Amino acid sequence: MRTPLSLTWLELFHAAVVGVTRNIEALAFGRRDDLHGKPTLNPWVRHIEAAATELVSAKFLNEYWNALAPKPRELKSDMGTRTQIRSSMDLNGHLIIHPDDPDDGLFYLVIGTAPHFEMLGPVRAGDVKRPEYWTTFTGRPAFWIPQAVLL
């Protein structure tokens, strides 16, 4: 399923503040982003876009958004108990599933840039961890799920 989503300007402001705060925290505490071989994007842009993606997803799924977690790497999921949001600014982007992602986790792909996005999915990770989606050309091999599978 492909669902168009948008943030209001007030929601976008909230996401931008969260993104800037996250980047400042990363700088202050020496945290490096784990990009898994993705092309480097300006960290300010990356943090703001990620926050906007999370907020628009939480809004659509009617889930609580834990915008500023004290230890973000310790969160078990992006929302709820099994929901994971992956994003791509590339409108032709793929859903990336890692071998250690929980098989029972529900994964959505959100594409676009703030304030307008499209959400695709969900899929259960265990259903798409298949040999035909396995890719090794990135810095971290993973399952690259085409958008057609998510519709």
Side-chain angles (χ1 to χ4, degrees), residues 15 25 28 30-32 47-48 58 73 75 115 120-122 125 136 139 148 151:
E25 285 179 344
R31 286 195 303 254
R32 296 189 55 201
H47 283 278
I48 291 169
R73 299 216 188 267
L75 294 176
L120 295 90
T136 59
L151 299 176

Side-chain angles (χ1 to χ4, degrees), residues 40-61:
T40 303
L41 184 66
N42 179 300
W44 297 96
V45 172
R46 188 173 54 249
H47 283 278
I48 291 169
E49 289 292 340
T53 299
E54 292 168 13
L55 177 54
V56 80
S57 301
K59 178 180 167 181
F60 175 74
L61 296 170

Side-chain angles (χ1 to χ4, degrees), residues 94-106:
H94 290 70
L95 173 64
I96 299 173
I97 303 284
H98 300 287
D100 59 348
D101 284 331
D103 287 345
D104 65 342
L106 293 175

Side-chain angles (χ1 to χ4, degrees), residues 85-131:
I85 305 298
R86 301 284 161 86
S87 63
S88 176
M89 294 171 68
D90 179 357
L91 297 179
N92 298 311
H94 290 70
L95 173 64
I96 299 173
I97 303 284
H98 300 287
D100 59 348
D101 284 331
D103 287 345
D104 65 342
L106 293 175
F107 286 77
Y108 290 87
L109 173 63
V110 178
I111 57 173
T113 56
H116 304 294
F117 302 93
E118 288 185 79
M119 179 179 271
L120 295 90
V123 294
R124 220 175 52 79
D127 294 339
V128 294
K129 289 181 178 178
R130 300 184 358 206

Side-chain angles (χ1 to χ4, degrees), residues 118-147:
E118 288 185 79
M119 179 179 271
L120 295 90
V123 294
R124 220 175 52 79
D127 294 339
V128 294
K129 289 181 178 178
R130 300 184 358 206
E132 62 265 35
Y133 303 136
W134 184 248
T135 304
T136 59
F137 68 85
T138 63
R140 179 180 177 194
F143 298 94
W144 281 47
I145 316 306
Q147 290 183 19

